[in-house]
Amino acid sequence: MLKTVQVVVLLNIANCCSQCIATPPKSGPKWSIYDLLDELGLKSFSGLLETTGFMYTLSANASGPFTVYAPTDDAFNNLPPSVMKKLQNDDNWRLLHDLTSYHLTKGNLSFLKWSNNMITSTLLDGTSIRLNIYNNKSGEPSIMSVSGATLIKADQQATNGVVQVIDRVLYSIPDDTISNYIQENSRLRKLAMLMQIAGYQDSLDKQNITLFAPSDAVFEEMGANFTNLLTNASTIKALFRNHTVNNTFYTNGLRILDGGYITNLPGTKLPIKINQGVYVSGAKLVEEDVSLKNGVLHIINKLL
């Protein structure tokens, strides 16, 4: 019974977007994944497959099945200039290989089988992507997310697997936990200091969390109050709990909550506002969607 309800819910998500799922072909899949990508007009991603040699893997029916999370051409066009420059450099073959393999997984995973915070391993050794199902502020499932990219065309069947079309290139490949990222980020040195004083690393490395991380500039504005904070471990822990949500919220999941709220660990409602940016309880996200092994981090410009 529960499985039936889940399928109905996911189909309702698909119905929210006329392009989200295509009518199944009457005679079964016609093309291999590589040929299907060309039919879908995903020229930029097809080009990556050619450059890295994955076109041969995805053209051979004997080597599948695979699930491919394929970005649109617009997704490539919207990449930051610095990232695009690296991708256009023929000397960066290893980068191109890793980026491409991160969009490929083994098996045929229909979007109807997704669950929130589902982790699936990619062909890039030691890495995974995170699948989320986000509800709107009415509590209805509204968006399906792939490590922060929105699914815009689902279950495009091929002879050797399935293509899920997404609106963003997954170029931020998670290789750290949240606590390690904080320690290594030059904009979060004061937060790293607080984390170490309170011994809060393990709490930040629990699975499926979102951390809204105040930048160093936020703590610098506190003046003497920050110095006082350094001597109070219990207050530091409370600060971290106030900035942590027990679910993985990328910005595509936050944007559909405009005028609604999410809840932090102590149970306080954090209002969401979209106004030339994403705001959580009045704090603006100044760096968004840092994918990490156990969740996602956003850098904010004020304390919550």
Side-chain angles (χ1 to χ4, degrees):
M1 179 65 178
L2 288 176
K3 191 171 184 180
T4 301
V5 171
Q6 182 186 38
V7 170
V8 171
V9 168
L10 294 177
L11 284 172
N12 285 338
I13 299 176
N15 290 335
C16 291
C17 172
S18 61
Q19 291 185 321
C20 192
I21 186 167
T23 303
K26 295 180 180 179
S27 57
K30 182 177 179 181
W31 297 287
S32 69
I33 289 175
Y34 179 71
D35 292 331
L36 178 58
L37 292 171
D38 191 58
E39 290 295 324
L40 293 171
L42 305 176
K43 308 295 185 184
S44 297
F45 191 65
S46 292
L48 275 182
L49 296 177
E50 293 176 12
T51 301
T52 56
F54 281 109
M55 62 176 289
Y56 301 107
T57 303
L58 298 179
S59 297
N61 291 332
S63 61
F66 298 99
T67 299
V68 176
Y69 299 91
T72 63
D73 284 359
D74 283 344
F76 281 94
N77 293 335
N78 291 330
L79 280 170
S82 59
V83 176
M84 181 63 78
K85 184 176 180 180
K86 291 178 181 179
L87 295 181
Q88 292 172 339
N89 187 341
D90 292 337
D91 294 332
N92 284 335
W93 186 87
R94 173 52 60 181
L95 171 66
L96 296 176
H97 176 275
D98 289 353
L99 179 73
T100 306
S101 57
Y102 186 63
H103 289 74
L104 314 177
T105 66
K106 291 183 178 180
N108 188 327
L109 183 60
S110 167
F111 85 110
L112 295 173
K113 296 180 181 179
W114 292 16
S115 59
N116 193 42
N117 282 313
M118 184 176 182
I119 303 296
T120 180
S121 298
T122 76
L123 296 193
L124 179 60
D125 288 344
T127 68
S128 301
I129 56 176
R130 181 181 297 272
L131 307 176
N132 288 100
I133 303 171
Y134 290 128
N135 295 343
N136 58 26
K137 58 187 178 182
S138 299
E140 301 165 340
S142 180
I143 282 181
M144 304 192 75
S145 172
V146 182
S147 291
T150 300
L151 178 68
I152 59 174
K153 188 173 288 187
D155 281 3
Q156 304 300 297
Q157 296 294 335
T159 55
N160 57 340
V162 64
V163 174
Q164 310 289 5
V165 183
I166 56 177
D167 71 346
R168 185 187 297 186
V169 180
L170 306 178
Y171 66 89
S172 177
I173 301 175
D175 58 1
D176 263 331
T177 61
I178 289 177
S179 69
N180 285 341
Y181 180 82
I182 291 173
Q183 292 183 73
E184 295 169 1
N185 191 295
S186 60
R187 299 177 67 184
L188 301 175
R189 288 173 179 167
K190 289 184 171 16
L191 191 66
M193 186 188 309
L194 295 174
M195 178 181 68
Q196 292 165 0
I197 290 172
Y200 206 72
Q201 291 93 326
D202 289 345
S203 296
L204 289 177
D205 288 344
K206 293 179 180 178
Q207 269 295 340
N208 306 331
I209 66 173
T210 301
L211 180 69
F212 297 99
S215 67
D216 284 349
V218 174
F219 293 111
E220 288 166 1
E221 291 177 2
M222 293 177 62
N225 288 332
F226 179 73
T227 304
N228 296 334
L229 181 62
L230 297 176
T231 64
N232 194 326
S234 61
T235 301
I236 294 173
K237 290 179 180 179
L239 182 149
F240 274 107
R241 288 177 57 81
N242 287 339
H243 289 76
T244 304
V245 174
N246 189 26
N247 194 1
T248 309
F249 277 102
Y250 288 89
T251 50
N252 57 354
L254 294 173
R255 288 181 180 278
I256 60 172
L257 292 174
D258 186 19
Y261 64 88
I262 56 178
T263 305
N264 65 10
L265 290 185
T268 303
K269 294 179 179 179
L270 306 176
I272 306 299
K273 181 68 176 176
I274 310 301
N275 182 17
Q276 296 183 342
V278 180
Y279 291 79
V280 176
S281 199
K284 185 176 182 179
L285 276 58
V286 295
E287 185 172 338
E288 306 173 348
D289 292 345
V290 180
S291 286
L292 296 161
K293 287 187 174 181
N294 63 308
V296 65
L297 178 146
H298 310 282
I299 298 180
I300 56 176
N301 68 349
K302 63 180 291 187
L303 293 175
L304 301 183

